[in-house]
Amino acid sequence: MDVLTFGETMVSLRSTGPLAQGGTLTMHAAGAESNVAVGLARLGHSVRWAGRLGRDPHGDFVERALRAEGVDLAVRRDGGRPTGVMFLERRTADLSRAYYYRSGSAGSGLSRADLERPLEDGAGILHLTGVTPALSAEALDAFVFAAETAAARGMVVSLDVNYRGKLWSREDARAALAPVARHAAVVIASDDELDLLSGRPGTGSVAGTAAELLGLGVRDVVVKLGARGADAYTADGTSHVDAVAVEAVDTVGAGDAFTAGYLSVLLEGGDVAARLRRGALLGAFAVSTAGDWEGLPRRDELGLLESLDAGGTDR
């Protein structure tokens, strides 16, 4: 297995306008970790997602969606808890808002028992996000256990901060995530999240925090800058990639798409510059199509954005 990841995947009900006005909702499967898993699977990598789903139609929907994308599942169906649900409101053309209904969900009951066998089976990379430990004390324990176990077994640990302010405070996030960063070989964060991994919060710049993490043994500190691209800090210096110019349709899932692209080239042995380029490319696919992962490319589609003029048709 190339990559193992775990977390909560929910049913996402998307609106095209303000929820208060009613209207049609579309149904999607969404979760930070499973978004990355789908992105990697579409590029031909072997990926396993571990998690819990309710024994309900929503869980059936999520399981079928992930299996259809070629993601291997280590899933427990929980008859006592429902599959989590979120509503994603397209409030304006430039602003979306998420409303979570995941308290007491099957995914929030994730425990280290759910991860013991997948970790024993092994993978080249264990990918973690800061969403999972925010769900419950059990999920936090499982998160720490997985990071420590994977690092001890020589797996590459990837950590995407993915801070969710509706799930926990920055102080709670820092207390949980900063100690785990020392187990990570790759850290990914937006420029306003990286400080959550610092042992000296509020005292330095992004570059200073990156240097602190490199001193702890992190190999790649990757900072997502949105429309300005991304930077990567390593022992060899700093690399930058500009964002790929596309018309933005839906920015949800763009960070997960970037992560999938970056890890894909890491698996293939490519250098930091190549990792950043593919990350930016997958991010461009994500923002120029609707959905968390639905518009991500297959491997033979990676050149589409470069080979066609804007508005062109591949005939």
Side-chain angles (χ1 to χ4, degrees), residues 81-125:
R81 295 171 179 248
T83 302
V85 174
M86 66 178 287
F87 287 80
L88 191 66
E89 174 187 52
R90 188 70 178 270
R91 187 61 184 82
T92 72
D94 298 318
L95 175 66
S96 295
R97 296 191 293 198
Y99 298 90
Y100 298 118
Y101 296 85
R102 64 201 309 178
S103 178
S105 68
S108 68
L110 185 80
S111 72
R112 63 170 64 194
D114 298 309
L115 304 178
E116 287 172 349
R117 179 58 186 272
L119 286 166
E120 285 176 5
D121 291 344
I125 295 174

Side-chain angles (χ1 to χ4, degrees), residues 22 63 171 206:
E63 183 170 351
E171 291 73 22
V206 167

Side-chain angles (χ1 to χ4, degrees), residues 32-33 127 129-131 160-164 168 177 188-190 193 224 255-256:
E33 299 87 0
H127 178 62
T129 84
V131 178
D160 188 342
V161 172
N162 241 325
Y163 176 67
R164 297 288 188 268
W168 57 354
L177 299 179
I188 302 173
S190 61
E193 293 174 333
K224 297 175 288 188
D256 302 327

Side-chain angles (χ1 to χ4, degrees), residues 68-83:
E69 289 298 325
V71 177
D72 185 83
L73 301 185
V75 63
R76 178 177 296 185
R77 301 299 294 269
D78 190 331
R81 295 171 179 248
T83 302

Side-chain angles (χ1 to χ4, degrees), residues 34 77 81 96 111 116 136-138 146 172 203 251 257 263 282:
S34 56
R77 301 299 294 269
R81 295 171 179 248
S96 295
S111 72
E116 287 172 349
S136 67
E138 275 188 313
D172 287 343
T203 62
T251 60
L263 295 181
L282 262 67

Side-chain angles (χ1 to χ4, degrees), residues 228-309:
R228 293 177 288 127
D231 292 331
Y233 299 83
T234 70
D236 295 326
T238 305
S239 302
H240 175 80
V241 67
D242 290 329
V244 178
V246 292
E247 181 179 351
V249 172
D250 182 359
T251 60
V252 177
D256 302 327
F258 175 92
T259 297
Y262 193 91
L263 295 181
S264 171
V265 178
L266 177 63
L267 286 163
E268 295 167 6
D271 62 16
V272 171
R275 296 173 209 166
L276 287 171
R277 284 195 299 272
R278 188 172 293 174
L281 181 60
L282 262 67
F285 271 96
V287 302
S288 58
T289 53
D292 286 57
W293 49 263
E294 285 83 347
L296 295 184
R298 308 283 180 189
R299 184 168 289 272
D300 61 358
E301 295 176 318
L302 285 173
L304 278 178
L305 295 182
E306 298 173 340
S307 63
L308 296 174
D309 294 331

Side-chain angles (χ1 to χ4, degrees), residues 113-199:
D114 298 309
L115 304 178
E116 287 172 349
R117 179 58 186 272
L119 286 166
E120 285 176 5
D121 291 344
I125 295 174
L126 172 70
H127 178 62
L128 308 170
T129 84
V131 178
T132 298
L135 300 179
S136 67
E138 275 188 313
L140 172 57
D141 176 68
F143 172 84
V144 174
F145 165 73
E148 293 176 345
T149 301
R153 294 179 180 174
M155 296 168 63
V156 172
V157 176
S158 163
L159 171 62
D160 188 342
V161 172
N162 241 325
Y163 176 67
R164 297 288 188 268
K166 289 189 175 183
L167 296 181
W168 57 354
S169 69
R170 292 184 70 88
E171 291 73 22
D172 287 343
R174 180 177 292 108
L177 299 179
V180 171
R182 71 178 188 273
H183 299 299
V186 178
V187 160
I188 302 173
S190 61
D191 52 353
D192 61 344
E193 293 174 333
L194 191 66
D195 179 66
L196 295 176
L197 301 182
S198 175

Side-chain angles (χ1 to χ4, degrees), residues 1-21:
M1 194 64 58
D2 291 328
V3 177
L4 168 65
T5 189
F6 64 89
E8 180 173 35
T9 299
M10 299 176 293
V11 167
S12 172
L13 299 172
R14 287 171 163 257
S15 75
T16 56
L19 286 169
Q21 302 303 313

